[in-house]
Amino acid sequence: DSPQNRLRGLLYEEAFQRINNGIKDERFFEVIALADSIITDRVQALTQDILKDEPEQYSWMSVGAAIEVLFHEVKPRNITLPPEIRGLLTQVQQFWSQKRNVASHGFVVITPKNLEQGVETRLDNLKDAAVEGAALARSITNEIDKFRSQWGKD
């Protein structure tokens, strides 16, 4: 086990503990940020496995961009992602990232379109995005790690 993998394990343990506590303690902004970070990291790890030693390297990017890159990179290599992974990532891309944006980035933003959304509605949106993001982060971690281990990776 490399120092990088040991540190990653500790960071994931801390992140998931903070997610669990954050939901209980209603620290939903923290939960959303950690879920986003975990999902992005797992997607980028899988993308790097697929690229192997190819010169193309992707630096940090948003979760949506990371998913797009992964979907782009599997196509020319005729790699079929398991339906569980593709489904979860499509859910993040098409639904959760929008919920996350509305809940966190738009929490205090008032527009004519959302003027009727009061504090309680915004807090409910925040909680929904946090709970869904936490579940997605756990499922995506499990599914991608399972798939990567079949490839002989960490």
Side-chain angles (χ1 to χ4, degrees):
D1 219 14
S2 71
Q4 179 180 345
N5 284 340
R6 281 193 297 278
L7 178 57
R8 181 177 290 113
L10 292 172
L11 291 171
Y12 269 70
E13 186 178 319
E14 179 69 20
F16 279 115
Q17 187 62 48
R18 286 179 162 276
I19 285 172
N20 294 338
N21 291 338
I23 289 173
K24 282 187 243 165
D25 299 339
E26 298 186 0
R27 293 191 318 267
F28 301 127
F29 287 105
E30 179 180 11
V31 172
I32 290 168
L34 288 168
D36 189 279
S37 179
I38 289 168
I39 294 166
T40 303
D41 182 68
R42 292 297 76 203
V43 170
Q44 288 181 317
L46 181 53
T47 302
Q48 289 304 315
D49 285 351
I50 289 165
L51 294 176
K52 294 182 182 110
D53 298 323
E54 294 181 28
E56 188 73 46
Q57 297 288 319
Y58 294 97
S59 59
W60 180 89
M61 59 184 70
S62 71
V63 69
I67 292 169
E68 282 187 35
V69 166
L70 174 63
F71 286 170
H72 172 78
E73 293 295 346
V74 296
K75 221 176 251 182
R77 292 167 180 79
N78 294 320
I79 296 170
T80 303
L81 293 174
E84 298 83 4
I85 291 176
R86 188 168 278 284
L88 288 165
L89 296 182
T90 299
Q91 185 178 345
V92 168
Q93 200 176 35
Q94 294 180 359
F95 303 106
W96 182 73
S97 61
Q98 180 64 24
K99 284 183 185 180
R100 176 209 60 204
N101 289 345
V102 167
S104 59
H105 301 307
F107 187 76
V108 298
V109 174
I110 300 171
T111 66
K113 190 176 177 181
N114 71 10
L115 187 57
E116 290 81 35
Q117 293 181 0
V119 173
E120 287 306 313
T121 300
R122 291 166 190 253
L123 289 172
D124 287 344
N125 291 343
L126 190 62
K127 180 180 180 179
D128 289 346
V131 170
E132 185 177 337
L136 285 165
R138 173 51 71 197
S139 296
I140 288 167
T141 296
N142 291 344
E143 291 299 327
I144 286 180
D145 288 355
K146 182 169 64 175
F147 182 69
R148 291 179 74 214
S149 72
Q150 293 169 353
W151 278 39
K153 300 292 179 192
D154 61 5

